[in-house]
Amino acid sequence: MPSAPLFRFGVIADPQYADLEPNLTLNRYPANSIVKLRKAIEEFNRHDLAFVVTLGDIIDREWKSFDAILPVYEALRHPKHFLLGNHDFAIAPEHLQTVPKRVGMPSAYYDFHHAGYRFIALDGNEISVFAPPEGDPRRNEAKTLMKALESSGATNGQRWNAAISDTQFDWLAAKLREAKTVGEKVVIMNHYPVFPDNPHNALDSDRMLSLLAEHDHVVAYLNGHNHAGNFGTLDGTHFVNFMGMVDTEDTGAYAIVSVYEDRLDIIGFGRETDRTLELH
């Protein structure tokens, strides 16, 4: 078993910062995420990491929240990648279409390579009742999906969930084929879980799972959104739901993933769980 990993990367989920009083019912402390994030970055800076990814919900609400939390990331000595979540759109309507730009993202969804791996960062918010502007047909599309899920007895037809568009789905399928052609393993990252079954799962989780089942080089799917965390393995892909940083008064939640030839080792900090994911 090789002693050194191919590379390591850091993971943060759901800081959900805002200058707000705690939500004691949900055990969320949005204002405390600044301190927790600083501690996480101090830890990340002690390690040799390829990058650090934040899996969405950078803020809890309000456009001005970005002004407070984004500068904290400037202390990070590693490259950083962001995804967006539902709370990142809990802002004034005039800002809805400029969130990726505000966060400094290349685009709302994108991919990048590292050491024989393709990382695919999805924009899980496209079809939703919160991210598209008022009057956009994608809001109705989301409502139709939610109704269909509800009538089928599924638990995830919730207004805090969302789906990707046909355009992004086709882009994802093309990227998966491209990675297979060049012999890359794939890690997909999204704010929303798709497995195991859960009320927080993306509105299009069934369609996503059907696509992933066709591709045995997708080794992992990483997400946030469900702050309690979750885990499952299906068709050789490991689905890891990282815990929300915003939860609890003072205990953080973040992770470092070490990528080996035969496994991914997840070391959890604070509330996050350690896991070893075997690669086949």
Side-chain angles (χ1 to χ4, degrees):
M1 192 175 281
S3 55
L6 303 172
F7 62 97
R8 292 186 172 96
F9 62 94
V11 179
I12 297 166
D14 302 73
Q16 272 185 225
Y17 169 77
D19 185 12
L20 295 172
E21 290 298 310
N23 180 332
L24 300 177
T25 311
L26 295 175
N27 197 20
R28 292 181 188 172
Y29 292 77
N32 297 13
S33 286
I34 290 270
V35 175
K36 291 180 191 170
L37 181 62
R38 282 200 189 107
K39 283 184 182 164
I41 287 172
E42 281 171 18
E43 183 63 43
F44 288 147
N45 284 346
R46 292 187 191 106
H47 301 268
D48 180 18
L49 304 180
F51 59 88
V52 171
V53 63
T54 302
L55 296 168
D57 282 4
I58 305 158
I59 62 166
D60 183 87
R61 68 191 76 170
E62 299 179 340
W63 186 246
K64 67 179 184 185
S65 299
F66 286 121
D67 297 338
I69 193 163
L70 290 176
V72 177
Y73 281 94
E74 287 167 19
L76 187 66
R77 69 179 184 92
H78 311 294
K80 56 186 181 292
H81 298 287
F82 289 104
L83 281 73
L84 299 176
N86 51 312
H87 282 266
D88 295 313
F89 295 93
I91 50 175
E94 64 266 23
H95 296 305
L96 284 174
Q97 290 173 289
T98 53
V99 180
K101 188 180 174 193
R102 177 69 191 89
V103 177
M105 297 168 66
S107 56
Y109 56 91
Y110 57 94
D111 67 328
F112 59 95
H113 313 257
H114 192 84
Y117 270 76
R118 173 89 54 123
F119 289 86
I120 299 177
L122 298 178
D123 172 20
N125 309 286
E126 278 189 311
I127 312 296
S128 67
V129 294
F130 47 80
E134 280 292 349
D136 189 299
R138 290 174 296 175
R139 290 200 174 212
N140 282 333
E141 203 178 325
K143 287 175 187 166
T144 305
L145 277 173
M146 284 156 58
K147 278 185 190 140
L149 287 165
E150 197 179 349
S151 62
S152 73
T155 60
N156 61 319
Q158 309 286 351
R159 55 179 299 105
W160 59 76
N161 297 332
I164 68 174
S165 65
D166 289 344
T167 303
Q168 188 180 170
F169 186 86
D170 292 344
W171 173 86
L172 170 60
K175 290 293 179 184
L176 291 174
R177 290 192 301 271
E178 195 180 289
K180 186 174 273 184
T181 303
V182 297
E184 290 172 327
K185 291 182 172 127
V186 174
V187 173
I188 294 176
M189 305 183 294
N190 191 7
H191 180 62
Y192 302 90
V194 293
F195 183 83
D197 193 35
N198 188 272
H200 292 86
N201 284 8
L203 300 176
D204 57 350
S205 53
D206 287 352
R207 179 162 88 145
M208 294 284 278
L209 288 174
S210 297
L211 176 63
L212 300 191
E214 298 168 15
H215 295 282
D216 56 6
H217 59 311
V218 179
V219 298
Y221 179 107
L222 313 180
N223 65 271
H225 192 50
N226 174 7
H227 297 195
N230 208 345
F231 176 76
T233 303
L234 185 67
D235 299 322
T237 299
H238 300 291
F239 294 82
V240 188
N241 187 147
F242 290 89
M243 293 186 182
M245 182 175 269
V246 70
D247 293 47
T248 79
E249 187 169 8
D250 50 16
T251 309
Y254 57 97
I256 290 177
V257 182
S258 298
V259 180
Y260 293 85
E261 287 286 357
D262 62 342
R263 71 192 191 279
L264 306 180
D265 276 351
I266 300 175
I267 303 300
F269 294 82
R271 291 166 30 252
E272 191 50 73
T273 309
D274 294 352
R275 304 183 192 277
T276 295
L277 315 180
E278 304 290 342
L279 305 182
H280 303 292

